[in-house]
Amino acid sequence: MSQYDFDLFVIGGGSGGVRAGRISGGYGARVAVAEEYRYGGTCVIRGCVPKKLLVYGSQFAHDFEDAAGFGWTVGETRFDWATMIANKDKEIARLEGIYRKLFENAGARTFDGRATLKDAHTVLIGDKSVTADKILIATGGHPVKPAVPGAELMITSNEAFHLKEQPKRIVIVGGGYIALEFAGIFNGFGSRVTLLYRGEQILRGFDEDIRSHLAGEIGKSGIDLRCKTDLTKIEKTKDGALLVHLTDGSTLEVDAVLAATGRKPNTGGLGLEVVGVRTDAEGAVVVNEYSRSSVENVYAVGDVTNRINLTPVAIREGHCFADTVFGKKPRSPDHADVPAAVFSQPPVGTIGLSETDARAKYGEVDVYRTSFRPLKATISGRDERVMMKLVVDAKTDRVVGAHMVGEDAGEIMQGLAIAIKAGAKKADFDATIGIHPTAAEEFVTMREKVKA
């Protein structure tokens, strides 16, 4: 008989925690989980899933416009924000129930409330106290606002999903995933969008061609993109609008300001310092390759570790944890060549190294790049161009990076990710017959190297 109430206590009911608890339960572990907000975590409740639903909704404006070129007569259209949000909320509630059931079906006990650590084996949830042999921190992260006067007037992605009214004029601050995705969403729904980014170019860390091509495309869509520009202050006007002061001395009057300037791990007030769990300067739990913290029986997965903050990565980390600790099959998550998509409009798909990083790692690389007008646009009349790029290690012919801006980029990149993860060479791409007519076929028909 174990001296503890549970073999595993998971703090956080998001994607990583759910996977870890479910798989651990399958190995026979006695599992419990505590969640203070809603099961499903950021991705399901206030992240990837509701965001993608809003992306779908916002794209209909373009679809209605494109239809005319194909002979359709579309009558007067009208968008109702409240209906969109209500239907989104219904779907999120359904998914939340599924996530809770995943735990319960694995035999886990669920606690609704904030959990903190009393010691390395004791968890407090309100006035309850339980013990566990192993503890897993899977509390995710939260959005942060820039430290400027009037920051309290800003919203974040958390609040953006629950706005009662659609802002007709909105400033979005940031140049990463979240900023670009919400810029496309609000623009598609008809809001006047100004996107501010203090850096030289959006999507820092991505391939340079991706960054510049996407900047040009979103500019065509009507988004007012202003790089090397930041806000200095926000004030509320007499009529309830927000006056945004910019670093160039100008001002903007808008209905909402969305901060998309980064996220930080949810480690504050958990009691980590009480038990000696080490965190870094950002507050992330420091872990080894098996997700173990500085305390032997305390582990952490997902965004709270600030490794690669993507839902599928958190799920893989949680699964590897369960295999290692309860399945007796030591397995560390592989963080190399993780594919990713940005659901901007147009979307971005990427896998592997950027051209800059590949040159730094391999020295000599071959680059293949193409840009073309997609077939649909030839009749719709839309001014858009797709960009695709392959980066190849010249010595081995291995494809070390693939990048795309264009419709279905995420779907296409998932297939390429398998090939690149398996070590495919450019010759393998060349030997593959394309599916015609598709945009994806361009990845296997590019033959001319970009001249250095």
Side-chain angles (χ1 to χ4, degrees):
M1 186 75 176
S2 172
Q3 61 179 309
Y4 303 110
D5 298 323
F6 300 99
D7 299 313
L8 171 65
F9 198 102
V10 181
I11 302 179
S15 299
V18 167
R19 177 59 64 90
R22 187 167 65 85
I23 301 302
S24 297
Y27 285 128
R30 296 170 303 138
V31 180
V33 59
E35 172 56 53
E36 69 170 320
Y37 181 53
R38 298 175 68 181
Y39 284 85
T42 295
C43 178
V44 173
I45 306 302
R46 298 188 293 202
C48 339
V49 176
K51 169 200 67 186
K52 191 71 179 290
L53 293 175
L54 293 185
V55 168
Y56 284 140
S58 66
Q59 289 174 331
F60 281 101
H62 289 160
D63 293 341
F64 294 146
E65 292 174 358
D66 291 349
F70 291 89
W72 288 91
T73 299
V74 179
E76 182 182 354
T77 61
R78 187 178 75 255
F79 170 68
D80 184 67
W81 174 266
T83 299
M84 173 75 241
I85 297 302
N87 290 338
K88 179 268 297 180
D89 288 344
K90 289 178 186 176
E91 174 59 11
I92 299 310
R94 185 185 72 85
L95 292 175
E96 181 188 7
I98 290 173
Y99 266 70
R100 183 186 286 269
K101 284 187 181 298
L102 286 173
F103 261 121
E104 294 172 347
N105 291 344
R109 182 175 173 184
T110 56
F111 292 87
D112 295 321
R114 180 172 177 77
T116 58
L117 297 179
K118 181 179 179 181
D119 58 47
H121 291 282
T122 306
V123 180
L124 302 175
I125 315 102
D127 58 359
K128 296 185 180 71
S129 175
V130 298
T131 60
D133 182 21
K134 301 290 191 297
I135 293 173
L136 178 68
I137 310 298
T139 48
H142 64 275
V144 295
K145 298 178 181 179
V148 298
E152 71 279 1
L153 299 172
M154 305 177 79
I155 62 171
T156 69
S157 54
N158 286 355
E159 296 78 35
F161 290 117
H162 303 287
L163 292 174
K164 296 191 183 304
E165 295 182 359
Q166 176 191 352
K168 297 305 180 185
R169 304 164 298 173
I170 185 169
V171 163
I172 299 175
V173 187
Y177 285 77
I178 297 171
L180 290 166
E181 289 166 347
F182 273 105
I185 287 167
F186 282 111
N187 183 61
F189 284 139
S191 299
R192 189 189 311 161
V193 179
T194 303
L195 181 59
L196 307 178
Y197 182 53
R198 65 183 181 183
E200 291 283 335
Q201 187 57 280
I202 56 173
L203 284 184
R204 181 170 59 89
F206 282 69
D207 186 87
E208 292 298 328
D209 286 327
I210 287 282
R211 301 173 74 189
S212 59
H213 188 88
L214 180 62
E217 291 298 304
I218 65 174
K220 294 177 187 176
S221 73
I223 294 170
D224 182 5
L225 172 61
R226 305 188 190 186
C227 291
K228 296 187 286 187
T229 307
D230 206 352
L231 80 172
T232 60
K233 181 173 65 173
I234 307 172
E235 297 175 306
K236 199 158 195 173
T237 66
K238 292 180 180 179
D239 62 1
L242 300 178
L243 189 65
V244 182
H245 296 257
L246 307 181
T247 49
D248 62 7
S250 65
T251 59
L252 291 169
E253 188 174 288
V254 296
D255 305 301
V257 181
L258 171 62
T261 49
R263 298 174 64 84
K264 286 193 175 181
N266 285 328
T267 51
L270 285 180
L272 300 183
E273 66 284 351
V274 174
V275 299
V277 173
R278 190 159 66 89
T279 57
D280 66 14
E282 294 294 314
V285 178
V286 177
V287 295
N288 68 6
E289 68 271 28
Y290 295 105
S291 298
R292 175 183 280 172
S293 78
S294 55
V295 176
E296 186 177 6
N297 72 300
V298 179
Y299 294 75
V301 298
D303 291 7
V304 76
T305 66
N306 206 22
R307 287 177 282 185
I308 298 178
N309 296 340
L310 296 171
T311 297
V313 174
I315 292 171
R316 179 62 57 86
E317 290 170 357
H319 202 133
C320 288
F321 157 81
D323 286 348
T324 300
V325 177
F326 295 103
K328 307 307 177 188
K329 298 181 291 187
R331 188 163 71 102
S332 60
D334 183 0
H335 293 103
D337 291 331
V338 173
V342 182
F343 294 104
S344 49
Q345 298 182 39
V348 170
T350 183
I351 167 73
L353 299 176
S354 67
E355 180 182 344
T356 300
D357 289 343
R359 291 190 186 282
K361 183 172 182 177
Y362 297 107
E364 186 181 353
V365 299
D366 294 328
V367 176
Y368 299 82
R369 184 177 62 233
T370 184
S371 175
F372 57 92
R373 193 179 190 191
L375 181 61
K376 182 180 178 182
T378 62
I379 288 186
S380 72
R382 185 169 298 282
D383 180 14
E384 64 178 286
R385 295 189 69 81
V386 174
M387 195 281 287
M388 296 176 172
K389 182 174 182 178
L390 291 174
V391 183
V392 180
D393 176 9
K395 296 183 181 66
T396 64
D397 195 44
R398 188 167 67 90
V399 180
V400 296
H403 312 279
M404 175 180 175
V405 179
E407 189 174 358
D408 295 325
E411 305 291 343
I412 292 169
M413 204 54 60
Q414 182 66 81
L416 289 187
I418 299 172
I420 291 174
K421 192 69 175 175
K425 296 185 176 182
K426 181 61 168 63
D428 297 317
F429 278 63
D430 295 343
T432 302
I433 295 175
I435 302 171
H436 185 73
T438 65
E441 68 180 307
E442 293 292 328
F443 274 116
V444 297
T445 58
M446 285 188 277
R447 296 290 186 271
E448 292 189 18
K449 300 175 187 177
V450 174
K451 295 179 181 179

